[in-house]
Amino acid sequence: MIRVLIADDSAFMRKVLSDLFRKQPDFEVVGTARNGKEAIEQTKKFHPDLLTMDVNMPVMDGLNALAVIMEECPMPVVMISSLTREGAEATIRALELGAVDFIGKAGGSISRIDTIETEILEKCRNAASAHVHKPMAPAKPSAPKVTGPPVMRRVTLPRTRTPVQPQPQPKQTSVSNPFLKRENPLLQRKQAGAGLTPHAVPAAGRTGQKLVAIGTSTGGPQALQNVITRLPADLPCGVVVVQHMPPGFTKALADRLNSISAIRVKEAEDGDIIEPGQVYIAPGNYHMRVTSSGNQRKIALGQDPPVGNHRPAVNVMYDSVAPVGRELVAVIMTGMGCDGCEGMKKIKASGGYSIAQDEATCVVYGMPKAVVDAGLADEVRPVQDIARAIVEAVKK
């Protein structure tokens, strides 16, 4: 029996959800709350198995209440609100704070909730069995993003009467500016942005260099935050990501991760050339593949039929990157089901390296479990160690 608490400022919405759950033999409504403050009090009183919560409520909104609940008494939470559809940023923030999943009211209207009853029940049943953790703080970016060439000011130094002995100068290279050290990857990227091309900097999307492919689902936004914020800005290869998520929300996810990470993050676009130090997240409702064009790797998006009820699907992305072979690092993280397992078989057959998230840090140990049980994981790591594992694997 799933004991559920409903938090919503609308009396009608509380009744609709209560009636929906009470019709099910496996749900029991233990209480309702009208705002975030009551949700916290009722959670501590009833210790429910699941909390459904609106975002926009008086006294204390859903996001603030969620932050308190996940800190003081972590439990499965599903956000249900018109705001989660209209305000994708609020949804992403809720998932980062520890919400297991979200559901948008159809068309933003509670009068249409009958059209999403099946979705609500399915997501709530899945969420109730999730392994919920206190959210970990994102890593602080180790270096600022490079958005252009360095700006240097001319400084006039006062003359001195004491002659200055000349110092031995390093051997000059083809780079005319002696202040830019060639061995510093961050400065190399700045040079590249200024039109210079040091030999140590990989050409954008060049085949023959490493590639990282990450697949995840339920619990993924929080897991991605823990991984991507720990990747260095000068990662010498590109990263492609499939996160099961509806259209519209992947852009908000990419923008949020970009704002808190050293590495650059964007929602993938068809035809993007895969560049070092860049993360590409598949847009909702589009399969994402990696293709080769000459000596470059590119993103190809398509709306061919869902695979395993998913679009984007991890298996589709993995199938496309398997030919990268030994230069590929494939990562599988928290998620319901087994999407990615079949693709991982092809990756391993081609010589790729695989990393799976461990059970203890997964919200749902489904997708990684399928890979681990099939003997396809080279490493099994807690989520906070996966970024370091990626960096180490890329160096091999």
Side-chain angles (χ1 to χ4, degrees), residues 247-252 254-255 265-269 272 279-284:
F249 295 97
T250 44
K251 176 67 164 59
D255 290 347
V265 186
K266 65 167 292 189
E267 183 182 54
E269 298 176 72
D272 276 345
V279 179
Y280 303 83
I281 298 179

Side-chain angles (χ1 to χ4, degrees), residues 205 266-275 278-280 289 291 297-301:
K266 65 167 292 189
E267 183 182 54
E269 298 176 72
D270 191 52
D272 276 345
I273 297 174
I274 298 176
E275 299 179 348
Q278 176 78 62
V279 179
Y280 303 83
R289 295 176 173 89
T291 63
R297 296 193 185 110
K298 292 185 177 181
I299 299 290
L301 302 179

Side-chain angles (χ1 to χ4, degrees), residues 213-228 241-244 314 318 330-337 339 344 355-358 361-369 371 381-384 386-387 390:
I214 301 175
T216 187
S217 185
T218 309
Q222 192 180 80
L224 287 171
Q225 176 177 289
N226 279 291
V227 173
I228 291 176
V241 177
V242 163
Q243 159 71 58
H244 296 159
V314 179
Y318 277 179
V331 182
I332 191 79
M333 301 199 300
T334 176
M336 189 76 62
D339 186 25
M344 192 69 85
I355 302 168
Q357 185 178 348
D358 72 350
T361 61
C362 279
V363 171
V364 179
Y365 189 54
M367 290 161 54
K369 182 179 187 299
V371 168
R381 295 279 193 111
V383 68
Q384 65 270 22
I386 288 178
I390 289 172

